[in-house]
PDB file of all heavy atoms in Angstrom:
ATOM      1  N   ILE F 270    -204.620  98.994 -33.826  1.00  0.00           N
ATOM      2  CA  ILE F 270    -203.605  98.030 -34.243  1.00  0.00           C
ATOM      3  C   ILE F 270    -202.397  98.042 -33.301  1.00  0.00           C
ATOM      4  O   ILE F 270    -201.726  97.017 -33.123  1.00  0.00           O
ATOM      5  CB  ILE F 270    -203.145  98.310 -35.694  1.00  0.00           C
ATOM      6  CG1 ILE F 270    -202.230  97.191 -36.211  1.00  0.00           C
ATOM      7  CG2 ILE F 270    -202.478  99.659 -35.800  1.00  0.00           C
ATOM      8  CD1 ILE F 270    -202.902  95.860 -36.333  1.00  0.00           C
ATOM      9  N   GLY F 274    -201.887  94.322 -32.587  1.00  0.00           N
ATOM     10  CA  GLY F 274    -200.652  93.712 -33.064  1.00  0.00           C
ATOM     11  C   GLY F 274    -200.702  93.134 -34.460  1.00  0.00           C
ATOM     12  O   GLY F 274    -199.709  93.153 -35.185  1.00  0.00           O
ATOM     13  N   ILE F 275    -201.837  92.592 -34.869  1.00  0.00           N
ATOM     14  CA  ILE F 275    -201.991  91.971 -36.189  1.00  0.00           C
ATOM     15  C   ILE F 275    -203.260  92.530 -36.817  1.00  0.00           C
ATOM     16  O   ILE F 275    -204.310  92.598 -36.154  1.00  0.00           O
ATOM     17  CB  ILE F 275    -202.084  90.439 -36.085  1.00  0.00           C
ATOM     18  CG1 ILE F 275    -200.847  89.866 -35.392  1.00  0.00           C
ATOM     19  CG2 ILE F 275    -202.264  89.805 -37.458  1.00  0.00           C
ATOM     20  CD1 ILE F 275    -200.924  88.369 -35.129  1.00  0.00           C
ATOM     21  N   ASP F 276    -203.197  92.906 -38.098  1.00  0.00           N
ATOM     22  CA  ASP F 276    -204.373  93.497 -38.729  1.00  0.00           C
ATOM     23  C   ASP F 276    -205.397  92.438 -39.125  1.00  0.00           C
ATOM     24  O   ASP F 276    -205.098  91.234 -39.148  1.00  0.00           O
ATOM     25  CB  ASP F 276    -203.980  94.374 -39.930  1.00  0.00           C
ATOM     26  CG  ASP F 276    -203.263  93.600 -41.036  1.00  0.00           C
ATOM     27  OD1 ASP F 276    -203.514  92.383 -41.199  1.00  0.00           O
ATOM     28  OD2 ASP F 276    -202.442  94.214 -41.742  1.00  0.00           O
ATOM     29  N   VAL F 277    -206.605  92.887 -39.431  1.00  0.00           N
ATOM     30  CA  VAL F 277    -207.703  91.969 -39.730  1.00  0.00           C
ATOM     31  C   VAL F 277    -207.441  91.137 -40.984  1.00  0.00           C
ATOM     32  O   VAL F 277    -207.672  89.916 -40.972  1.00  0.00           O
ATOM     33  CB  VAL F 277    -209.037  92.737 -39.838  1.00  0.00           C
ATOM     34  CG1 VAL F 277    -210.177  91.778 -40.179  1.00  0.00           C
ATOM     35  CG2 VAL F 277    -209.340  93.453 -38.528  1.00  0.00           C
ATOM     36  N   PRO F 278    -206.977  91.725 -42.098  1.00  0.00           N
ATOM     37  CA  PRO F 278    -206.712  90.888 -43.271  1.00  0.00           C
ATOM     38  C   PRO F 278    -205.746  89.734 -42.990  1.00  0.00           C
ATOM     39  O   PRO F 278    -205.931  88.629 -43.501  1.00  0.00           O
ATOM     40  CB  PRO F 278    -206.125  91.881 -44.286  1.00  0.00           C
ATOM     41  CG  PRO F 278    -206.736  93.198 -43.910  1.00  0.00           C
ATOM     42  CD  PRO F 278    -206.797  93.171 -42.412  1.00  0.00           C
ATOM     43  N   SER F 279    -204.738  89.992 -42.160  1.00  0.00           N
ATOM     44  CA  SER F 279    -203.778  88.926 -41.833  1.00  0.00           C
ATOM     45  C   SER F 279    -204.445  87.829 -41.011  1.00  0.00           C
ATOM     46  O   SER F 279    -204.198  86.633 -41.217  1.00  0.00           O
ATOM     47  CB  SER F 279    -202.589  89.500 -41.066  1.00  0.00           C
ATOM     48  OG  SER F 279    -201.883  90.440 -41.847  1.00  0.00           O
ATOM     49  N   LYS F 280    -205.300  88.226 -40.069  1.00  0.00           N
ATOM     50  CA  LYS F 280    -206.007  87.230 -39.269  1.00  0.00           C
ATOM     51  C   LYS F 280    -206.964  86.407 -40.133  1.00  0.00           C
ATOM     52  O   LYS F 280    -207.046  85.178 -40.000  1.00  0.00           O
ATOM     53  CB  LYS F 280    -206.765  87.915 -38.131  1.00  0.00           C
ATOM     54  CG  LYS F 280    -205.861  88.503 -37.056  1.00  0.00           C
ATOM     55  CD  LYS F 280    -206.676  89.156 -35.935  1.00  0.00           C
ATOM     56  CE  LYS F 280    -205.769  89.704 -34.833  1.00  0.00           C
ATOM     57  NZ  LYS F 280    -206.539  90.327 -33.737  1.00  0.00           N
ATOM     58  N   LEU F 281    -207.687  87.083 -41.035  1.00  0.00           N
ATOM     59  CA  LEU F 281    -208.605  86.361 -41.922  1.00  0.00           C
ATOM     60  C   LEU F 281    -207.837  85.437 -42.859  1.00  0.00           C
ATOM     61  O   LEU F 281    -208.299  84.330 -43.175  1.00  0.00           O
ATOM     62  CB  LEU F 281    -209.449  87.354 -42.722  1.00  0.00           C
ATOM     63  CG  LEU F 281    -210.492  88.147 -41.927  1.00  0.00           C
ATOM     64  CD1 LEU F 281    -211.169  89.180 -42.834  1.00  0.00           C
ATOM     65  CD2 LEU F 281    -211.535  87.216 -41.318  1.00  0.00           C
ATOM     66  N   SER F 282    -206.678  85.873 -43.296  1.00  0.00           N
ATOM     67  CA  SER F 282    -205.847  85.026 -44.160  1.00  0.00           C
ATOM     68  C   SER F 282    -205.445  83.742 -43.437  1.00  0.00           C
ATOM     69  O   SER F 282    -205.445  82.656 -44.025  1.00  0.00           O
ATOM     70  CB  SER F 282    -204.600  85.796 -44.603  1.00  0.00           C
ATOM     71  OG  SER F 282    -203.757  84.993 -45.394  1.00  0.00           O
ATOM     72  N   PHE F 283    -205.114  83.860 -42.150  1.00  0.00           N
ATOM     73  CA  PHE F 283    -204.780  82.674 -41.366  1.00  0.00           C
ATOM     74  C   PHE F 283    -205.974  81.727 -41.276  1.00  0.00           C
ATOM     75  O   PHE F 283    -205.830  80.513 -41.445  1.00  0.00           O
ATOM     76  CB  PHE F 283    -204.331  83.087 -39.962  1.00  0.00           C
ATOM     77  CG  PHE F 283    -204.288  81.941 -38.990  1.00  0.00           C
ATOM     78  CD1 PHE F 283    -203.266  81.004 -39.032  1.00  0.00           C
ATOM     79  CD2 PHE F 283    -205.293  81.782 -38.039  1.00  0.00           C
ATOM     80  CE1 PHE F 283    -203.241  79.933 -38.151  1.00  0.00           C
ATOM     81  CE2 PHE F 283    -205.280  80.728 -37.148  1.00  0.00           C
ATOM     82  CZ  PHE F 283    -204.251  79.792 -37.202  1.00  0.00           C
ATOM     83  N   ILE F 284    -207.160  82.272 -40.997  1.00  0.00           N
ATOM     84  CA  ILE F 284    -208.351  81.432 -40.896  1.00  0.00           C
ATOM     85  C   ILE F 284    -208.620  80.729 -42.223  1.00  0.00           C
ATOM     86  O   ILE F 284    -208.961  79.536 -42.260  1.00  0.00           O
ATOM     87  CB  ILE F 284    -209.573  82.267 -40.481  1.00  0.00           C
ATOM     88  CG1 ILE F 284    -209.343  82.891 -39.094  1.00  0.00           C
ATOM     89  CG2 ILE F 284    -210.844  81.425 -40.487  1.00  0.00           C
ATOM     90  CD1 ILE F 284    -209.093  81.886 -37.994  1.00  0.00           C
ATOM     91  N   ARG F 285    -208.431  81.442 -43.320  1.00  0.00           N
ATOM     92  CA  ARG F 285    -208.680  80.828 -44.638  1.00  0.00           C
ATOM     93  C   ARG F 285    -207.657  79.746 -44.951  1.00  0.00           C
ATOM     94  O   ARG F 285    -207.976  78.758 -45.615  1.00  0.00           O
ATOM     95  CB  ARG F 285    -208.688  81.920 -45.714  1.00  0.00           C
ATOM     96  CG  ARG F 285    -209.954  82.772 -45.636  1.00  0.00           C
ATOM     97  CD  ARG F 285    -209.918  84.006 -46.491  1.00  0.00           C
ATOM     98  NE  ARG F 285    -211.197  84.717 -46.375  1.00  0.00           N
ATOM     99  CZ  ARG F 285    -211.324  86.035 -46.340  1.00  0.00           C
ATOM    100  NH1 ARG F 285    -210.234  86.811 -46.430  1.00  0.00           N
ATOM    101  NH2 ARG F 285    -212.520  86.587 -46.240  1.00  0.00           N
ATOM    102  N   SER F 286    -206.443  79.909 -44.459  1.00  0.00           N
ATOM    103  CA  SER F 286    -205.457  78.842 -44.651  1.00  0.00           C
ATOM    104  C   SER F 286    -205.871  77.594 -43.876  1.00  0.00           C
ATOM    105  O   SER F 286    -205.660  76.464 -44.338  1.00  0.00           O
ATOM    106  CB  SER F 286    -204.068  79.312 -44.199  1.00  0.00           C
ATOM    107  OG  SER F 286    -203.986  79.421 -42.782  1.00  0.00           O
ATOM    108  N   TRP F 306    -211.827  89.471 -31.337  1.00  0.00           N
ATOM    109  CA  TRP F 306    -210.386  89.349 -31.581  1.00  0.00           C
ATOM    110  C   TRP F 306    -210.086  89.315 -33.073  1.00  0.00           C
ATOM    111  O   TRP F 306    -209.175  90.001 -33.550  1.00  0.00           O
ATOM    112  CB  TRP F 306    -209.844  88.091 -30.909  1.00  0.00           C
ATOM    113  CG  TRP F 306    -208.371  87.883 -31.125  1.00  0.00           C
ATOM    114  CD1 TRP F 306    -207.349  88.408 -30.388  1.00  0.00           C
ATOM    115  CD2 TRP F 306    -207.753  87.113 -32.169  1.00  0.00           C
ATOM    116  NE1 TRP F 306    -206.134  88.013 -30.906  1.00  0.00           N
ATOM    117  CE2 TRP F 306    -206.351  87.212 -32.003  1.00  0.00           C
ATOM    118  CE3 TRP F 306    -208.252  86.351 -33.227  1.00  0.00           C
ATOM    119  CZ2 TRP F 306    -205.448  86.583 -32.850  1.00  0.00           C
ATOM    120  CZ3 TRP F 306    -207.351  85.718 -34.080  1.00  0.00           C
ATOM    121  CH2 TRP F 306    -205.966  85.843 -33.884  1.00  0.00           C
ATOM    122  N   LEU F 307    -210.844  88.529 -33.807  1.00  0.00           N
ATOM    123  CA  LEU F 307    -210.561  88.337 -35.226  1.00  0.00           C
ATOM    124  C   LEU F 307    -210.755  89.626 -36.024  1.00  0.00           C
ATOM    125  O   LEU F 307    -210.002  89.905 -36.964  1.00  0.00           O
ATOM    126  CB  LEU F 307    -211.467  87.230 -35.780  1.00  0.00           C
ATOM    127  CG  LEU F 307    -211.179  86.713 -37.190  1.00  0.00           C
ATOM    128  CD1 LEU F 307    -209.734  86.258 -37.331  1.00  0.00           C
ATOM    129  CD2 LEU F 307    -212.128  85.556 -37.522  1.00  0.00           C
ATOM    130  N   ASN F 309    -210.597  92.735 -34.714  1.00  0.00           N
ATOM    131  CA  ASN F 309    -210.010  93.898 -34.022  1.00  0.00           C
ATOM    132  C   ASN F 309    -211.087  94.923 -33.684  1.00  0.00           C
ATOM    133  O   ASN F 309    -210.967  96.125 -33.971  1.00  0.00           O
ATOM    134  CB  ASN F 309    -208.901  94.542 -34.866  1.00  0.00           C
ATOM    135  CG  ASN F 309    -207.657  93.686 -34.933  1.00  0.00           C
ATOM    136  OD1 ASN F 309    -207.513  92.714 -34.189  1.00  0.00           O
ATOM    137  ND2 ASN F 309    -206.746  94.025 -35.836  1.00  0.00           N
ATOM    138  N   ALA F 352    -211.265  95.617 -44.614  1.00  0.00           N
ATOM    139  CA  ALA F 352    -210.868  94.222 -44.416  1.00  0.00           C
ATOM    140  C   ALA F 352    -211.717  93.263 -45.254  1.00  0.00           C
ATOM    141  O   ALA F 352    -211.526  92.044 -45.161  1.00  0.00           O
ATOM    142  CB  ALA F 352    -210.990  93.859 -42.941  1.00  0.00           C
TER     143      ALA F 352
END
Side-chain angles (χ1 to χ4, degrees):
I270 188 65
I275 302 174
D276 61 29
V277 179
S279 298
K280 291 181 178 181
L281 290 175
S282 178
F283 166 75
I284 298 301
R285 287 170 178 142
S286 72
W306 179 86
L307 190 54
N309 289 348

